[in-house]
Amino acid sequence: MPQGETTTGAAPEERHAITDERDLLRSRHAVRAAAVAAGFDLVGQTKLVTAASELVRNAYIHGGGGVLRIVPLTGAGGRRGVRLVVSDHGPGIPDVDTALSDGYSTGAGLGHGLGGTRRLVDSFAIDTEPGRGTTIVVERWA
């Protein structure tokens, strides 16, 4: 988080379980609603929803399910944003640098997911270890 940025208590944090495919669509709708509430334009909404879609899908497919947290942010000067925290209890990622490189995939995808997600947001952090699961935190500002 950039210095001077703070979270807000004005809107409550939301938690969404990721347990089946229907949760992917529910998560997308919840993230879009948070982006609209934060004042994102259509491009900003689309980028945040696309990032959320990738992270939630990864948690479901590779992590066996997990949790999405949506945290409204207020920064310096009243600037608003959204933090997404996606956690799973899957096998973890053994080589994060490789996982973030374009073209790398452990499945049938094109391998643009994590790296592409990182390019869609203002900040991206990943905490993972083999056998311990993965937590990814992203933030985007309106």
Side-chain angles (χ1 to χ4, degrees), residues 64-94:
V67 174
L68 163 67
R69 293 177 34 220
I70 303 170
V71 182
L73 302 173
T74 300
R79 184 175 173 215
R80 299 180 68 191
V82 176
R83 177 184 301 143
L84 305 176
V85 181
V86 180
S87 300
D88 67 55
H89 299 290
I93 301 171

Side-chain angles (χ1 to χ4, degrees), residues 22-77:
R22 293 173 296 183
D23 294 328
L24 305 179
L25 184 58
R26 290 184 190 117
S27 295
R28 290 175 57 93
H29 288 300
V31 170
R32 181 169 304 280
V36 169
F40 283 63
D41 63 16
L42 184 57
V43 171
Q45 292 172 36
T46 301
K47 288 182 176 181
L48 189 63
V49 169
T50 301
S53 181
E54 179 63 27
L55 297 176
V56 169
R57 181 176 304 284
N58 281 350
Y60 174 66
I61 292 174
H62 301 293
V67 174
L68 163 67
R69 293 177 34 220
I70 303 170
V71 182
L73 302 173
T74 300

Side-chain angles (χ1 to χ4, degrees), residues 84-137:
L84 305 176
V85 181
V86 180
S87 300
D88 67 55
H89 299 290
I93 301 171
D95 185 344
V96 172
D97 290 335
T98 299
L100 288 169
S101 63
D102 285 337
Y104 175 79
S105 177
T106 58
L110 298 174
H112 298 295
L114 280 181
T117 297
R118 184 168 57 175
R119 289 187 292 272
L120 293 171
V121 296
D122 296 313
S123 69
F124 179 99
I126 186 166
D127 180 21
T128 185
E129 185 176 307
R132 191 175 52 88
T134 300
T135 296
I136 298 177
V137 180

Side-chain angles (χ1 to χ4, degrees), residues 13-28:
E13 174 181 320
E14 295 180 35
R15 293 177 60 92
H16 299 270
I18 305 165
T19 59
D20 63 42
E21 283 195 48
R22 293 173 296 183
D23 294 328
L24 305 179
L25 184 58
R26 290 184 190 117
S27 295
R28 290 175 57 93

